[in-house]
Amino acid sequence: KAGVTQTPRYLIKTRGQQVTLSCSPISGHRSVSWYQQTPGQGLQFLFEYFSETQRNKGNFPGRFSGRQFSNSRSEMNVSTLELGDSALYLCASSSSRPSYEQYFGPGTRLTVT
Amino acid sequence: AQSVAQPEDQVNVAEGNPLTVKCTYSVSGNPYLFWYVQYPNRGLQFLLKYITGDNLVKGSYGFEAEFNKSQTSFHLKKPSALVSDSALYFCAVRDPGRQTGANNLFFGTGTRLTVIP
């Protein structure tokens, strides 16, 4: 099976702009979670989507949003970018079986200047 | 509230020696615990998990972890370290209080393992 794919891998944006990141889960996986990884804050949960519905949300401002499509692909959007949004954004997918393992993509490195 | 602590930012071990990466947790109820590894410029790779059952869990690449409820610990171990094990290791806990199936993980701050040839 192909793994979790994320596009783009690298992105440079300017403060105030918005950005959309994409994640394709492993085939058959219906749950997609997003995490932000920074040197200062570590790995933090953003949100999770399951069957096109947001099932869980972390403690991030409303500038961070996401959605999931009927084919389980997911996108996350960050509006009005701030310098502090520079991070590695990781997407993870898991099956609907209660195994709880999440499989991570390689991440999108976002740099805000 | 749930939390995970990895008390060591850095662990150095000689190749061939046993290694231990420490993790302690704090959750209400029974924890679901995980170890992940991250290589440079890569995402996280799943190593092993404890949900229930035997306290000693075996995972990928020869790693194992011991769940100790009384000490609220879940240390990662390997009998003989390889240079290729050098990476960043994360312990994580899933909040069992969340709705069934919800997949939010709380991660520790990570421990950088360096295996010296």
Side-chain angles (χ1 to χ4, degrees):
Chain A
K1 273 187 181 177
V4 178
T5 58
Q6 292 187 244
T7 57
R9 290 294 310 278
Y10 302 92
L11 207 48
I12 299 175
K13 289 286 188 179
T14 305
R15 268 183 305 176
Q17 289 186 314
Q18 75 166 15
V19 66
T20 299
L21 312 181
S22 181
C23 171
S24 292
I26 292 171
S27 177
H29 285 190
R30 294 165 61 191
S31 167
V32 174
S33 299
W34 288 89
Y35 294 85
Q36 182 196 64
Q37 185 177 19
T38 60
Q41 299 298 318
L43 276 156
Q44 294 184 286
F45 172 75
L46 280 156
F47 30 66
E48 180 205 3
Y49 286 86
F50 181 81
S51 293
E52 302 180 63
T53 301
Q54 188 180 86
R55 183 160 70 174
N56 219 347
K57 188 177 188 304
N59 189 27
F60 277 81
R63 299 185 297 108
F64 292 81
S65 62
R67 59 178 175 170
Q68 186 179 34
F69 302 95
S70 58
N71 62 357
S72 294
R73 190 178 69 86
S74 177
E75 290 181 345
M76 69 163 281
N77 183 277
V78 188
S79 62
T80 320
L81 284 166
E82 300 177 0
L83 293 178
D85 296 334
S86 295
L88 181 66
Y89 289 89
L90 293 165
C91 163
S93 76
S94 61
S95 72
S96 55
R97 295 180 181 178
S99 64
Y100 307 114
E101 291 140 63
Q102 292 187 43
Y103 296 89
F104 284 79
T108 294
R109 172 76 62 186
L110 172 64
T111 301
V112 182
T113 62
Chain B
Q2 56 286 319
S3 65
V4 175
Q6 293 181 244
E8 301 159 317
D9 291 335
Q10 174 83 42
V11 169
N12 297 325
V13 63
E15 186 177 23
N17 282 2
L19 69 86
T20 298
V21 182
K22 296 179 180 177
C23 172
T24 58
Y25 65 89
S26 174
V27 296
S28 54
N30 295 320
Y32 299 162
L33 296 160
F34 304 83
W35 276 102
Y36 284 85
V37 60
Q38 187 176 34
Y39 297 99
N41 300 315
R42 302 273 295 274
L44 276 68
Q45 293 182 30
F46 170 78
L47 280 178
L48 50 80
K49 67 181 178 185
Y50 173 83
I51 305 298
T52 186
D54 289 341
N55 290 343
L56 184 63
V57 180
K58 294 190 182 298
S60 305
Y61 313 120
F63 284 94
E64 58 188 29
E66 186 169 11
F67 171 67
N68 187 317
K69 188 171 184 178
S70 62
Q71 297 185 5
T72 62
S73 67
F74 189 56
H75 301 332
L76 181 70
K77 300 181 180 184
K78 187 173 182 180
S80 178
L82 301 172
V83 172
S84 57
D85 293 331
S86 299
L88 189 56
Y89 289 80
F90 290 95
C91 181
V93 63
R94 175 182 172 272
D95 184 356
R98 289 283 186 172
Q99 69 179 87
T100 301
N103 279 321
N104 56 310
L105 293 177
F106 293 90
F107 285 88
T109 51
T111 297
R112 186 163 300 281
L113 173 69
T114 300
V115 181
I116 303 164

